[in-house]
Short mmCIF file of all heavy atoms in Angstrom, two decimals:
data_model
loop_
_atom_site.label_atom_id
_atom_site.label_comp_id
_atom_site.label_asym_id
_atom_site.label_seq_id
_atom_site.Cartn_x
_atom_site.Cartn_y
_atom_site.Cartn_z
N ILE J 290 -64.58 7.13 -26.39
CA ILE J 290 -63.19 7.26 -26.81
C ILE J 290 -63.00 6.78 -28.25
O ILE J 290 -62.32 7.43 -29.05
CB ILE J 290 -62.28 6.47 -25.83
CG1 ILE J 290 -62.26 7.15 -24.46
CG2 ILE J 290 -60.87 6.35 -26.38
CD1 ILE J 290 -61.53 6.37 -23.39
N LEU J 295 -65.59 12.77 -26.69
CA LEU J 295 -65.26 12.94 -25.28
C LEU J 295 -65.84 14.24 -24.74
O LEU J 295 -65.68 15.30 -25.33
CB LEU J 295 -63.74 12.95 -25.08
CG LEU J 295 -63.04 11.59 -25.30
CD1 LEU J 295 -61.54 11.79 -25.34
CD2 LEU J 295 -63.42 10.63 -24.20
N ALA J 296 -66.52 14.12 -23.60
CA ALA J 296 -67.03 15.33 -22.95
C ALA J 296 -65.87 16.11 -22.34
O ALA J 296 -64.77 15.58 -22.13
CB ALA J 296 -68.03 14.93 -21.86
N PHE J 299 -66.59 15.49 -16.61
CA PHE J 299 -67.25 14.27 -16.15
C PHE J 299 -67.56 14.42 -14.66
O PHE J 299 -66.72 14.91 -13.88
CB PHE J 299 -66.37 13.03 -16.35
CG PHE J 299 -66.02 12.75 -17.77
CD1 PHE J 299 -64.91 13.33 -18.36
CD2 PHE J 299 -66.79 11.90 -18.55
CE1 PHE J 299 -64.56 13.08 -19.68
CE2 PHE J 299 -66.47 11.64 -19.87
CZ PHE J 299 -65.35 12.22 -20.44
N LEU J 315 -58.26 6.48 -13.84
CA LEU J 315 -58.26 5.61 -15.03
C LEU J 315 -58.62 6.40 -16.29
O LEU J 315 -58.06 6.18 -17.36
CB LEU J 315 -59.23 4.44 -14.83
CG LEU J 315 -58.81 3.38 -13.81
CD1 LEU J 315 -59.92 2.35 -13.64
CD2 LEU J 315 -57.52 2.71 -14.23
N ILE J 316 -59.59 7.33 -16.14
CA ILE J 316 -59.95 8.17 -17.29
C ILE J 316 -58.76 9.04 -17.69
O ILE J 316 -58.47 9.22 -18.88
CB ILE J 316 -61.19 9.03 -16.95
CG1 ILE J 316 -62.42 8.14 -16.76
CG2 ILE J 316 -61.45 10.04 -18.05
CD1 ILE J 316 -63.65 8.89 -16.30
N ALA J 317 -58.06 9.58 -16.68
CA ALA J 317 -56.87 10.39 -16.99
C ALA J 317 -55.83 9.56 -17.73
O ALA J 317 -55.20 10.04 -18.69
CB ALA J 317 -56.30 10.95 -15.69
N LYS J 318 -55.61 8.32 -17.30
CA LYS J 318 -54.66 7.45 -18.00
C LYS J 318 -55.15 7.14 -19.41
O LYS J 318 -54.37 7.14 -20.38
CB LYS J 318 -54.46 6.15 -17.22
CG LYS J 318 -53.67 6.34 -15.93
CD LYS J 318 -53.73 5.12 -15.04
CE LYS J 318 -53.11 3.91 -15.68
NZ LYS J 318 -53.08 2.75 -14.75
N ALA J 319 -56.46 6.85 -19.53
CA ALA J 319 -57.00 6.49 -20.84
C ALA J 319 -56.85 7.64 -21.84
O ALA J 319 -56.58 7.41 -23.03
CB ALA J 319 -58.47 6.10 -20.70
N LEU J 320 -57.01 8.88 -21.38
CA LEU J 320 -56.92 10.02 -22.28
C LEU J 320 -55.49 10.40 -22.63
O LEU J 320 -55.23 10.98 -23.68
CB LEU J 320 -57.64 11.23 -21.66
CG LEU J 320 -59.14 11.08 -21.40
CD1 LEU J 320 -59.72 12.36 -20.84
CD2 LEU J 320 -59.88 10.69 -22.68
N ASN J 321 -54.54 10.07 -21.75
CA ASN J 321 -53.16 10.51 -21.96
C ASN J 321 -52.20 9.38 -22.32
O ASN J 321 -51.00 9.63 -22.50
CB ASN J 321 -52.64 11.22 -20.70
CG ASN J 321 -53.19 12.62 -20.56
OD1 ASN J 321 -53.42 13.29 -21.56
ND2 ASN J 321 -53.42 13.06 -19.33
N CYS J 322 -52.69 8.15 -22.40
CA CYS J 322 -51.81 7.03 -22.72
C CYS J 322 -51.24 7.19 -24.14
O CYS J 322 -51.95 7.56 -25.08
CB CYS J 322 -52.57 5.71 -22.61
SG CYS J 322 -51.62 4.26 -23.07
N ILE J 323 -49.93 6.92 -24.29
CA ILE J 323 -49.29 7.00 -25.62
C ILE J 323 -48.79 5.63 -26.09
O ILE J 323 -48.14 5.52 -27.13
CB ILE J 323 -48.11 8.00 -25.59
CG1 ILE J 323 -47.07 7.58 -24.55
CG2 ILE J 323 -48.62 9.41 -25.32
CD1 ILE J 323 -45.83 8.45 -24.53
N GLY J 330 -52.86 6.51 -29.05
CA GLY J 330 -53.80 7.59 -28.77
C GLY J 330 -54.70 7.21 -27.61
O GLY J 330 -54.47 6.20 -26.93
N PRO J 331 -55.72 8.01 -27.34
CA PRO J 331 -56.64 7.68 -26.24
C PRO J 331 -57.23 6.29 -26.42
O PRO J 331 -57.60 5.89 -27.52
CB PRO J 331 -57.73 8.76 -26.37
CG PRO J 331 -57.05 9.91 -27.04
CD PRO J 331 -56.08 9.27 -28.00
N THR J 332 -57.31 5.55 -25.33
CA THR J 332 -57.79 4.17 -25.39
C THR J 332 -58.46 3.80 -24.09
O THR J 332 -58.08 4.30 -23.01
CB THR J 332 -56.62 3.20 -25.66
OG1 THR J 332 -57.10 1.86 -25.57
CG2 THR J 332 -55.48 3.40 -24.67
N PRO J 335 -55.62 1.53 -21.31
CA PRO J 335 -54.28 2.12 -21.22
C PRO J 335 -53.23 1.06 -20.93
O PRO J 335 -53.48 0.09 -20.20
CB PRO J 335 -54.41 3.12 -20.06
CG PRO J 335 -55.63 2.70 -19.31
CD PRO J 335 -56.54 2.06 -20.28
N ILE J 345 -49.12 8.91 -13.80
CA ILE J 345 -50.46 9.13 -13.26
C ILE J 345 -50.75 8.13 -12.15
O ILE J 345 -51.34 8.47 -11.11
CB ILE J 345 -51.51 9.04 -14.39
CG1 ILE J 345 -51.33 10.21 -15.37
CG2 ILE J 345 -52.93 9.05 -13.81
CD1 ILE J 345 -52.18 10.10 -16.62
N ALA J 381 -48.34 16.12 -21.49
CA ALA J 381 -49.44 15.18 -21.75
C ALA J 381 -50.33 15.70 -22.88
O ALA J 381 -50.20 16.84 -23.35
CB ALA J 381 -50.26 14.96 -20.48
N ARG J 382 -51.23 14.83 -23.32
CA ARG J 382 -52.17 15.21 -24.37
C ARG J 382 -53.21 16.18 -23.80
O ARG J 382 -53.63 17.13 -24.46
CB ARG J 382 -52.82 13.95 -24.92
CG ARG J 382 -53.74 14.19 -26.10
CD ARG J 382 -54.33 12.87 -26.62
NE ARG J 382 -53.28 11.99 -27.15
CZ ARG J 382 -52.93 10.84 -26.58
NH1 ARG J 382 -53.51 10.43 -25.46
NH2 ARG J 382 -51.98 10.10 -27.12
N TYR J 383 -53.67 15.91 -22.58
CA TYR J 383 -54.68 16.75 -21.94
C TYR J 383 -54.20 17.15 -20.55
O TYR J 383 -53.55 16.37 -19.84
CB TYR J 383 -56.01 16.00 -21.79
CG TYR J 383 -56.72 15.68 -23.09
CD1 TYR J 383 -56.68 14.38 -23.61
CD2 TYR J 383 -57.41 16.66 -23.78
CE1 TYR J 383 -57.33 14.08 -24.79
CE2 TYR J 383 -58.06 16.37 -24.97
CZ TYR J 383 -58.02 15.08 -25.47
OH TYR J 383 -58.66 14.79 -26.64
N ILE J 385 -55.56 17.64 -17.02
CA ILE J 385 -56.75 17.09 -16.36
C ILE J 385 -56.78 17.55 -14.92
O ILE J 385 -55.78 17.43 -14.19
CB ILE J 385 -56.76 15.55 -16.46
CG1 ILE J 385 -56.87 15.13 -17.93
CG2 ILE J 385 -57.90 14.96 -15.64
CD1 ILE J 385 -56.83 13.64 -18.16
N LYS J 414 -59.56 18.89 -19.40
CA LYS J 414 -60.69 18.05 -19.02
C LYS J 414 -60.88 18.16 -17.50
O LYS J 414 -59.89 18.18 -16.74
CB LYS J 414 -60.44 16.58 -19.38
CG LYS J 414 -60.19 16.33 -20.86
CD LYS J 414 -61.45 16.53 -21.68
CE LYS J 414 -61.18 16.21 -23.16
NZ LYS J 414 -62.34 16.52 -24.02
N LEU J 416 -62.64 16.39 -14.14
CA LEU J 416 -63.21 15.16 -13.58
C LEU J 416 -63.60 15.44 -12.14
O LEU J 416 -62.75 15.71 -11.29
CB LEU J 416 -62.18 14.01 -13.63
CG LEU J 416 -61.63 13.65 -15.01
CD1 LEU J 416 -60.57 12.56 -14.89
CD2 LEU J 416 -62.75 13.18 -15.93
#
Side-chain angles (χ1 to χ4, degrees):
I290 291 174
L295 290 169
F299 298 87
L315 289 176
I316 294 175
K318 289 168 63 175
L320 297 182
N321 284 327
C322 177
I323 59 175
T332 174
I345 293 172
R382 185 179 295 112
Y383 293 104
I385 296 177
K414 302 290 183 185
L416 302 176

